[in-house]
Amino acid sequence: METKQQMRAEMKKRKEEFFISHTSQQLLTLSNKILAKVEELPEFRKAEVVLAYFSLPDEVFTHTWVDRWSHEKTILLPKVVGDSLTIHKYSGADSLATGSFGILEPVTPCFTDFDKIDFVLVPGVAFDVSGNRLGRGRGYYDRLFHTLLPPCVFRVGVCFPFQLFPTVLVEPSDVPVHKVVTL
């Protein structure tokens, strides 16, 4: 059985191969198809407050999706502060600045009404068919789910097909998503 670190190293190779073999337009098209499936979920349709993420170059691209939905729903984004994530309202591209790890992060005030969050869009290095998630290894999302968000908030992982496995390694502190959406 491989370790989480070994799986991350394997996924890094797979991501490099995948991203080299696709144009930016193809990646955008694939991302849009995945996010269109998210939009069809009843949990997303009825959600009023959505915690999303502003994607890194090796993730399902969410920038235009976040911006588009911010006109219809309250869209929140995470910000890295030390070993934790804080949550902030997305108010357009001018409400973002480059933060930790080169991620565009919100500069708006902290959002603290956590019980209002209906839906969470979650990135991951890999997922399995049971909703278990392999993150980048710092535990930000697991701590967020354990400490700030209500346990019942609907969590959806999004990934490209090569990131979905029959099983990924989990630890007791890992929090699964309720659904994984891919192509």
Side-chain angles (χ1 to χ4, degrees):
M1 176 181 280
E2 63 184 341
T3 66
K4 284 186 172 187
Q5 291 78 10
Q6 290 169 322
M7 188 168 208
R8 285 187 190 97
E10 173 64 28
M11 287 307 299
K12 182 177 180 186
K13 290 178 194 171
R14 286 186 184 201
K15 279 184 174 187
E16 288 170 358
E17 291 170 6
F18 182 78
F19 282 87
I20 287 171
S21 66
H22 291 79
T23 67
S24 57
Q25 186 56 50
Q26 289 171 322
L27 294 168
L28 181 59
T29 299
L30 293 172
S31 295
N32 288 339
K33 287 180 179 180
I34 293 166
L35 294 169
K37 288 177 144 187
V38 170
E39 293 168 357
E40 294 171 5
L41 296 173
E43 295 86 356
F44 178 77
R45 288 180 180 213
K46 70 179 182 180
E48 295 177 17
V49 181
V50 174
L51 174 57
Y53 68 96
F54 222 65
S55 54
L56 289 168
D58 66 346
E59 296 174 329
V60 171
F61 183 75
T62 61
H63 298 198
T64 52
W65 188 85
V66 163
D67 195 62
R68 181 168 46 91
W69 280 105
S70 71
H71 301 287
E72 295 184 40
K73 299 177 182 283
T74 299
I75 300 293
L76 307 172
L77 297 175
K79 178 178 182 174
V80 175
V81 178
D83 288 333
S84 300
L85 294 177
T86 55
I87 299 172
H88 304 259
K89 184 176 180 200
Y90 173 79
S91 299
D94 58 348
S95 70
L96 301 173
T98 303
S100 299
F101 310 107
I103 301 170
L104 285 174
E105 296 179 327
V107 294
T108 54
C110 282
F111 180 90
T112 57
D113 201 353
F114 306 118
D115 289 336
K116 290 202 186 264
I117 299 172
D118 304 300
F119 189 95
V120 183
L121 190 69
V122 185
V125 172
F127 292 91
D128 70 21
V129 294
S130 298
N132 294 307
R133 174 182 168 274
L134 178 70
R136 294 186 184 264
R138 290 189 162 35
Y140 290 117
Y141 276 90
D142 293 316
R143 281 192 297 282
L144 178 73
F145 295 143
H146 280 297
T147 60
L148 298 182
L149 301 185
C152 61
V153 68
F154 197 74
R155 301 177 300 275
V156 173
V158 290
C159 65
F160 295 108
F162 75 91
Q163 294 175 277
L164 186 62
F165 290 83
T167 59
V168 296
L169 295 175
V170 294
E171 296 172 7
S173 61
D174 293 339
V175 178
V177 296
H178 294 102
K179 184 165 191 66
V180 178
V181 176
T182 191
L183 298 175

